[in-house]
Amino acid sequence: MRASRLLSLLLLLRNRGRMTAPELAAELEVSVRTVYRDVEDTPFLAEIAAAVWGGRRIAVCCRRWSGDEVERELDPLGPVLKAGVWYLVAARSEQVEPNGEPRTYRVSRFLSLRPGAEPVHWPPATAVELRHGALYTQNARVG
C-alpha cells in the first residue's frame, strides 16, 4: 500500500509541481501525518523521478558505509522500494565505466543530488529484475 501511495505522490508532484502536505493528503485521501511519514526519508525521490522520466543523467554526493563521501554521475533507470527502503537503480556514467551494469544506490545515503543536462544512454528496452535481493539486467527483445 505504501509503495503505490508514494508512486502516486511522485506522479502528483511531477504533474502539478509544488504541493503542500494538506493538498497531497486530500488528493491521496490520507492524513497530513501520513504524507509526512511517507516522504520523510525520501527527499530526493521527486528529483530522481523527474530525471528518470526526462531521461537525464544526475550527479549525486553520497555517503559510503565507511562514512566517506563520494561524488558520482549516474544514469538513473528508476527507483525501487524494497522492505521499506528506497534504492535507485542506475549505472555510472559512460565516462567512468563504459556500458556499466546498473547497480543499486540507497537513496537515504544521498547527501545531494543535481540534475544534469546530458541524456541517459540506456540500450532500448533494458529490463531490470530483482531476484533474491540481487539485481539482474537484460536487454529485452521487443516485437
Side-chain angles (χ1 to χ4, degrees):
M1 178 77 154
R2 182 177 174 203
S4 65
R5 188 171 56 240
L6 281 171
L7 290 174
S8 296
L9 184 144
L10 289 173
L11 288 170
L12 281 168
L13 292 173
R14 174 71 175 147
N15 292 328
R16 298 187 190 173
R18 291 188 184 266
M19 293 178 72
T20 66
E23 290 170 337
L24 287 167
E27 191 70 35
L28 297 169
E29 299 177 353
V30 296
S31 70
V32 172
R33 180 180 171 158
T34 298
V35 170
Y36 282 124
R37 187 175 49 240
D38 284 352
V39 299
E40 73 179 353
D41 292 331
T42 56
F44 299 112
L45 278 183
E47 292 177 83
I48 289 170
V52 170
W53 289 319
R56 297 292 173 200
R57 183 171 289 161
I58 58 174
V60 298
C61 178
C62 52
R63 188 175 311 279
R64 290 182 172 168
W65 64 271
S66 64
D68 297 337
E69 292 181 14
V70 63
E71 301 257 344
R72 296 271 188 255
E73 280 196 13
L74 302 174
D75 290 348
L77 187 58
V80 173
L81 181 66
K82 181 178 181 196
V85 178
W86 281 101
Y87 296 88
L88 172 64
V89 178
R92 292 177 65 181
S93 70
E94 290 181 323
Q95 291 90 2
V96 178
E97 190 176 307
N99 301 318
E101 281 292 314
R103 298 178 54 186
T104 56
Y105 297 86
R106 191 172 180 152
V107 174
S108 64
R109 294 192 178 272
F110 289 0
L111 302 172
S112 65
L113 184 149
R114 183 176 40 84
E118 292 188 43
V120 171
H121 301 288
W122 286 110
T126 298
V128 175
E129 182 180 342
L130 287 172
R131 288 190 217 147
H132 308 291
L135 179 68
Y136 295 88
T137 62
Q138 62 184 0
N139 287 334
R141 294 180 196 258
V142 179

